[in-house]
Amino acid sequence: MDEMFTEIKVYVKTLHLAHCLYRGAYSGLCCGNVYRDKGQCDGKNDRYDLGDKAFPVIHAHTYHITVLYTMNEPVIDLTKELDEFFDKYENTTCLTSDNPISELFKGHPNFHIWDENPTAEYMACSWCKELTEKFGNKHIRVSVEETSHNLVRYSEYTGWTIVTNIELPVAFPAFPDSEDITPLTGSNIFVTVELTSNKLDKNGMVIDFKKMKKILHEVFDKYDHSLILPKDCKLAKAYKENFEKNGIDYSRSRIYEVPVQFNMQDAIKGLFEEEVRNAFKNELELDSVNVKLEF
């Protein structure tokens, strides 16, 4: 009898899909660039409160879908079945039934009515649950990437994970353990932030990506084009002495000091993780916060 084992399969699909958030949505691009709440329109930025009957502006994304699933036999491949499942969403529009423009598309084969606002969170969760039921496989994870910086993952075990990234050019010592002052190195650091939660807000999101990015920019903008040094190293002391001599406030410069135990990469990762945890602790009920760095 052949030995059974578990193999992880990866399926990737690209979909061109138009949508619009409507019920309960706030002002912003995804709800058609209009104010949904009466009295909040300030007449700026071409955003207007058009009420509940006006047609909101639909927009679209190139969605990159990734499905991870496990199979107990290596000969089983679900590519064909998954293609059939997702092909029905290619070049289609997804809206809720109460969206006033839905009546124009009703009955068309390229139009889908969904129960909730078609957020990336809803897509990932809905598709994951449909595939789990379809294939009888509970070990399925679905990722929906709507732009190169915004991604949502869902599995029954972890709930929703939203992912975004920021690019920061940062200088730091190549040899942080050197007792001498040495020239610096550095790189564009790609910071990937993952927030995991089992709860969604009233708009069907863990958090609006726009708000998430606003918070992250408030955290990381100070590190853009910055210098990060080992705490109390000779170069930091040299900067302090030079700035003091020239009447410059060292504490307001883009120079940051971190304790270094092993290497600068680990020290910077620890600094950024602490910053992100503190930034979101009062905003969301999160199960986990993870920061990944690519130097």
Side-chain angles (χ1 to χ4, degrees):
M1 185 175 183
D2 292 336
E3 183 180 357
M4 302 290 287
F5 64 93
T6 299
E7 180 180 2
I8 298 177
K9 297 277 191 179
V10 180
Y11 170 85
V12 178
K13 185 74 170 182
T14 298
L15 298 177
H16 302 86
L17 191 151
H19 79 157
C20 173
L21 306 190
Y22 191 72
R23 183 170 54 237
Y26 40 84
S27 62
L29 294 176
C30 280
C31 67
N33 215 20
V34 299
Y35 284 104
R36 297 288 297 115
D37 298 322
K38 299 284 186 182
Q40 290 192 6
C41 177
D42 59 5
K44 298 179 181 178
N45 302 318
D46 295 326
R47 294 184 180 181
Y48 304 95
D49 185 346
L50 299 179
D52 297 327
K53 297 181 180 180
F55 292 158
V57 179
I58 295 174
H59 65 282
H61 296 277
T62 299
Y63 287 99
H64 300 286
I65 313 299
T66 303
V67 179
L68 268 65
Y69 61 97
T70 60
M71 300 304 298
N72 290 328
E73 296 182 19
V75 295
I76 297 178
D77 189 316
L78 299 179
T79 299
K80 180 180 178 181
E81 290 83 353
L82 289 170
D83 275 339
E84 291 176 353
F85 178 83
F86 284 108
D87 279 349
K88 62 179 177 284
Y89 293 102
E90 172 63 0
N91 293 315
T92 63
T93 301
C94 293
L95 303 174
T96 52
S97 59
D98 64 340
N99 193 315
I101 203 171
S102 293
E103 284 296 318
L104 298 183
F105 307 132
K106 192 174 181 180
H108 196 283
N110 285 55
F111 178 58
H112 298 280
I113 289 285
W114 280 0
D115 296 332
E116 302 292 340
N117 270 326
T119 61
E121 284 90 338
Y122 179 77
M123 291 178 189
C125 178
S126 177
W127 288 338
C128 183
K129 290 182 176 180
E130 285 187 59
L131 293 173
T132 298
E133 183 177 351
K134 182 179 179 65
F135 299 119
N137 185 342
K138 294 184 178 180
H139 299 278
I140 292 179
R141 188 180 78 180
V142 178
S143 298
V144 178
E145 180 182 324
E146 62 181 14
T147 71
S148 61
H149 298 291
N150 299 338
L151 179 145
V152 172
R153 289 197 300 263
Y154 180 83
S155 78
E156 290 189 355
Y157 296 96
T158 61
W160 290 272
T161 298
I162 59 172
V163 184
T164 193
N165 55 69
I166 293 175
E167 184 177 357
L168 300 171
V170 175
F172 49 84
F175 308 100
D177 55 349
S178 174
E179 294 184 359
D180 299 321
I181 293 179
T182 61
L184 302 167
T185 183
S187 65
N188 283 4
I189 303 176
F190 292 89
V191 183
T192 300
V193 177
E194 301 181 351
L195 306 179
T196 300
S197 176
N198 278 292
K199 294 184 178 181
L200 298 181
D201 63 17
K202 65 179 182 180
N203 300 308
M205 299 178 176
V206 173
I207 185 174
D208 175 24
F209 273 114
K210 185 176 180 180
K211 183 176 181 180
M212 180 182 180
K213 288 181 177 180
K214 182 177 183 294
I215 293 172
L216 290 177
H217 277 294
E218 290 173 355
V219 170
F220 287 114
D221 277 357
K222 63 188 177 214
Y223 295 108
D224 189 11
H225 291 80
S226 69
L227 169 59
I228 300 180
L229 298 171
K231 190 172 180 61
D232 297 326
C233 71
K234 287 186 176 180
L235 184 56
K237 292 178 180 178
Y239 264 109
K240 289 178 183 176
E241 292 174 1
N242 177 268
F243 279 16
E244 183 178 353
K245 181 180 178 180
N246 289 280
I248 299 172
D249 187 350
Y250 178 81
S251 66
R252 298 182 64 185
S253 67
R254 293 194 177 218
I255 301 176
Y256 302 93
E257 297 183 41
V258 292
V260 179
Q261 295 179 338
F262 301 104
N263 55 56
M264 284 299 298
Q265 285 86 348
D266 287 341
I268 294 172
K269 176 178 170 62
L271 172 67
F272 287 177
E273 280 188 338
E274 183 178 4
E275 289 266 26
V276 173
R277 290 181 190 279
N278 289 335
F280 286 99
K281 67 181 180 181
N282 294 325
E283 291 288 338
L284 301 167
E285 293 185 39
L286 296 174
D287 297 311
S288 67
V289 175
N290 187 30
V291 177
K292 299 178 181 179
L293 304 185
E294 181 181 340
F295 291 82

